[in-house]
Amino acid sequence: MDTIASLFSFITTPVSWVIVQFHKVYGAIFGPDTGWAWGLSIVSLVILIRICLIPLFVKQIKATRAMQTLQPEMKKIQERYKNDRQRQSEEMMKLYKETGTNPLSSCLPILAQSPFFFALYHVLNSIANNDTIGVINQSLLESAQKAHIFGAPLAAKFTDSASEVAALDASLTTVRIVTAVMIVLMSASQFYTQRQLMTKNVDTTVKTPFMQQQKMLMYVFPIMFAVFGINFPVGVLVYWLTTNVWTMGQQMYVIHNNPTPGSKAQAAYLERLYKRVSHHGKTRGRGEKAIVKAIVAKGRDRNDAERKFINGLTKVGLAAQADGNVIKGESQAVGETEDGTPTTAAARRQQPKRQSKSQRQGGPKAAGETTSLTKSDQPEDATPSGAPKQAGAAQQTGSKPGSGGGRSKAQSGQRKGGPQRPKSPSKK
């Protein structure tokens, strides 16, 4: 470990200088030789480093989103080459290369802060060995050796012997209890952070190597930190526990406000967003507009949660726009007519009730209209009986009895130009 840490010795001077500057501030409040002064100096160093890494974290989020957009293509490759693992891996790597994505992008923050981690380890290890380093002179070295966090010296380790711990004016039992608790907390926070990512912020509808990688890291990282943690000084455990807590909080913020499409976190977010938008009638902030804009741009490719969100807005009379804004929809505010009468889409869409097939084929009779002649419509010399009446009606129309054309005209009771007298029977 010392050999690896020495490779980052070029950064030990800046790291030691930052710690000393924070120690001056906290030393004036808590005392220069207290564990609070030195412990808070390390915590402040972590916060400063993580703030500097925020642009890299944003880049990591964008890379992760790019990986999510490739999920459909990955699924196609899996289905196409499901019996050929080697060809499947080759096609996946080709897809990564063409789109410029990297499945290892989730490790970028860890890799970026590795130099600071090894530099801090080298600084604390030098304090334990009574060696000055960077800007830490002999007086600061003695002050750091006296500092205890919950009874454990900053430079003490779980694997130290009783004589080494006694030289730092501490108890071996106290050192091991404190370091064991911090190792457990460090591993647990790492596991919870990764599990939160896997259970809430991953599209579980598609199985990809990226998801398998994340699942593997969820179990590998905590075990790795637990194994290495027994060789970390207390100060390094403080550093790593602080950065894990920062990562967990940072990830919770991202999952809550900018979740991965298709994840459980997105469904919960869109439900909250729907309540806010339906209440206020508009989107607020660039974050909400960006998410609505992305959903609108997907069109038919929306997932279930996104379709539910769009349909919910439509039901309350709102419509999501391509620029991310939300305006009143057609169902609530179509406008007014020229005479000032308000009109809605529902009213405009109303149409006359369609007739059934039997009504259309049956004519007026099927529609329930009167098919017989009224008394006023009948000719004066109309025969009252059924058979002669039919014969007379046939004669009126100039057709044979029983013909379809005569019967239809007789039933309709329509007379062009009013009632007409029947023609005289032809003489034979």
Side-chain angles (χ1 to χ4, degrees), residues 13-30:
T13 299
V15 168
S16 62
W17 183 84
V18 172
I19 292 177
V20 169
Q21 301 309 310
F22 281 122
H23 176 261
K24 290 180 180 179
V25 176
Y26 294 119
I29 300 173
F30 302 103

Side-chain angles (χ1 to χ4, degrees), residues 71-372:
Q71 297 293 327
E73 296 297 329
M74 293 179 179
K75 187 175 181 180
K76 291 179 182 178
I77 292 175
Q78 284 184 325
E79 293 177 351
R80 186 179 303 171
Y81 306 105
K82 59 183 178 180
N83 297 325
D84 190 349
R85 293 287 183 179
Q86 182 178 358
R87 183 64 183 278
Q88 185 181 121
S89 300
E90 291 175 357
E91 292 296 326
M92 287 289 187
M93 296 304 298
K94 183 179 178 181
L95 180 63
Y96 295 152
K97 186 176 181 180
E98 291 176 352
T99 56
T101 56
N102 186 0
L104 299 177
S105 58
S106 60
C107 300
L108 288 177
I110 296 177
L111 297 176
Q113 65 178 322
S114 296
F116 301 97
F117 168 75
F118 287 114
L120 179 62
Y121 177 86
H122 198 43
V123 168
L124 295 174
N125 194 52
S126 298
I127 293 174
N129 295 328
N130 200 23
D131 295 330
T132 58
I133 183 172
V135 299
I136 298 180
N137 53 30
Q138 189 62 35
S139 62
L140 290 173
L141 179 62
E142 294 176 356
S143 176
Q145 288 179 338
K146 295 177 182 178
H148 290 64
I149 297 179
F150 302 111
L154 281 176
K157 295 179 288 187
F158 184 88
T159 56
D160 285 346
S161 62
S163 59
E164 290 174 333
V165 173
L168 297 173
D169 193 20
S171 168
L172 180 61
T173 302
T174 302
V175 169
R176 290 190 173 178
I177 291 176
V178 171
T179 53
V181 170
M182 295 183 72
I183 289 171
V184 170
L185 292 176
M186 182 179 65
S187 300
S189 59
Q190 179 68 39
F191 177 80
Y192 179 79
T193 300
Q194 200 66 26
R195 186 177 184 274
Q196 181 180 232
L197 178 66
M198 289 297 301
T199 58
K200 294 183 179 181
N201 205 39
V202 171
D203 186 359
T204 56
T205 59
V206 182
K207 304 295 183 181
T208 63
F210 174 73
M211 292 179 59
Q212 297 298 326
Q213 171 204 355
Q214 295 294 325
K215 187 176 182 179
M216 179 184 66
L217 293 177
M218 181 174 67
Y219 295 100
V220 170
F221 274 176
I223 296 175
M224 183 177 66
F225 284 126
V227 173
F228 292 158
I230 61 176
N231 293 311
F232 290 164
V234 173
V236 174
L237 293 177
V238 172
Y239 172 91
W240 209 250
L241 178 59
T242 305
T243 194
N244 281 357
V245 172
W246 176 283
T247 302
M248 182 172 62
Q250 187 173 248
Q251 185 170 272
M252 290 176 65
Y253 176 82
V254 172
I255 291 175
H256 187 270
N257 295 281
N258 191 18
T260 300
S263 62
K264 294 181 180 179
Q266 189 202 31
Y269 174 81
L270 291 179
E271 186 176 353
R272 296 192 304 269
L273 180 61
Y274 167 74
K275 292 179 180 179
R276 290 198 299 268
V277 172
S278 60
H279 178 72
H280 297 284
K282 61 180 181 179
T283 52
R284 298 182 300 176
R286 289 183 296 179
E288 292 184 356
K289 291 182 180 179
I291 290 179
V292 173
K293 180 179 179 181
I295 294 175
V296 173
K298 286 185 177 182
R300 294 175 179 263
D301 296 331
R302 301 184 188 114
N303 56 47
D304 293 340
E306 292 166 345
R307 283 193 291 269
K308 182 179 178 181
F309 173 74
I310 295 296
N311 294 336
L313 293 180
T314 304
K315 289 180 180 179
V316 297
L318 298 174
Q321 304 299 301
D323 59 355
N325 290 311
V326 173
I327 62 174
K328 286 186 177 181
E330 187 181 20
S331 60
Q332 288 289 340
V334 173
E336 295 181 349
T337 58
E338 295 181 358
D339 59 354
T341 305
T343 177
T344 62
R348 287 176 21 176
R349 287 194 296 267
Q350 288 182 355
Q351 297 178 355
K353 185 177 179 180
R354 297 181 60 183
Q355 294 181 342
S356 63
K357 185 176 180 181
S358 60
Q359 290 175 334
R360 292 195 301 271
Q361 293 178 350
K365 182 176 181 180
E369 296 180 4
T370 306
T371 57
S372 60

